[in-house]
Amino acid sequence: MKKFCVNCQYDYLQGEIISTKDNSIIFMSDNLINYIYQINDGYVKMVRNLENGDEKIIGILGPGDYLALLAVLQRKQNYLATAITLTKTILKKIPKNQVLSIYESNNEFRNRCLECAVTRSNNFQNFLVQSANLDVKEKILNTLKTLYEKFGYIDNNSQILDLPFSKTVLANIIGIRRETLSRTLKVMLDQQIIVNEKNKYILNYKI
């Protein structure tokens, strides 16, 4: 997975290592921020609840990513979204005062760190905005491409995306019904745009 900063100083902070099952809540939106979390293994979705009670996924995070880092750097007092594990997940729980101490260590690091955190936070949300007016097939392709760029790998010159979550979650990310996703994936398979087996995708287009 792409690492934004290969010398991130937060990687060296001490913290409690915790293990969670899938579908575990790490923290909820509006809870007071006392910690950030680094994902050592597993995947987490960041969600907000809509007025009608539906859940909207605003981000998918994996190994090496931080939960709530940007909120802490921006001096937010409360978490801005709810973090829920998609798989069994191992996290490092880091007190926010340690993070702020490192962040304030020098101006050059502070400026670079904030730019990195904003970029990491905005990438997925920018994709959601850009995909809003596309047709269903293009939305699916764009979503798979975005997830591939973060979590995918090359095998025998093929672009492989092996997702650790179900098509129901993927449909939620895209903003379509599970049935619509399955039906469109079948069409895309027939058109040889992708190959799909369960939650594994081979992308037959160029990035």
Side-chain angles (χ1 to χ4, degrees), residues 187-199:
V187 172
M188 295 165 68
L189 176 62
D190 292 341
Q191 295 175 343
Q192 297 184 329
I193 297 173
I194 64 168
V195 176
N196 169 229
E197 181 179 347
K198 293 186 178 180
N199 297 317

Side-chain angles (χ1 to χ4, degrees), residues 61-85:
L61 304 177
D65 281 328
Y66 289 93
L67 309 179
L69 175 60
L70 181 58
V72 167
L73 300 185
Q74 293 178 328
R75 300 301 197 278
K76 304 294 185 184
Q77 297 301 309
N78 303 91
Y79 293 112
L80 304 179
T82 297
I84 304 173
T85 58

Side-chain angles (χ1 to χ4, degrees), residues 48-56:
R48 291 188 179 133
N49 291 323
L50 304 178
E51 291 184 1
N52 63 4
D54 289 346
E55 177 185 278
K56 180 176 178 58

Side-chain angles (χ1 to χ4, degrees), residues 81-123:
T82 297
I84 304 173
T85 58
L86 289 166
T87 62
K88 292 181 179 179
T89 304
I90 300 174
L91 305 129
K92 181 165 66 172
K93 182 180 178 181
I94 307 170
K96 76 172 184 180
N97 62 333
Q98 290 189 38
V99 175
L100 290 173
S101 177
I102 292 291
Y103 179 64
E104 296 290 353
S105 60
N106 66 74
N107 289 335
E108 181 182 354
F109 174 72
R110 183 164 62 247
N111 293 335
R112 186 173 70 249
C113 177
L114 184 59
E115 180 181 357
C116 176
V118 169
T119 299
R120 295 172 78 154
S121 178
N122 286 349
N123 277 350

Side-chain angles (χ1 to χ4, degrees), residues 166-185:
S166 68
K167 287 185 174 63
T168 300
V169 173
L170 180 59
N172 192 327
I173 296 170
I174 300 167
I176 60 178
R177 294 174 60 84
R178 169 70 166 76
E179 296 79 6
T180 303
L181 174 62
S182 295
R183 185 170 60 251
T184 308
L185 285 174

Side-chain angles (χ1 to χ4, degrees), residues 3 6 11-12 31 65 91 94 97 106 118 122 130 143 145 159-160 162 170 181 196 198 201 204 207:
K3 188 170 178 59
V6 295
D11 290 349
Y12 305 103
N31 284 170
D65 281 328
L91 305 129
I94 307 170
N97 62 333
N106 66 74
V118 169
N122 286 349
Q130 293 166 5
T143 301
K145 177 180 177 180
Q159 300 166 359
I160 308 297
D162 200 351
L170 180 59
L181 174 62
N196 169 229
K198 293 186 178 180
Y201 302 82
N204 295 329
I207 293 181

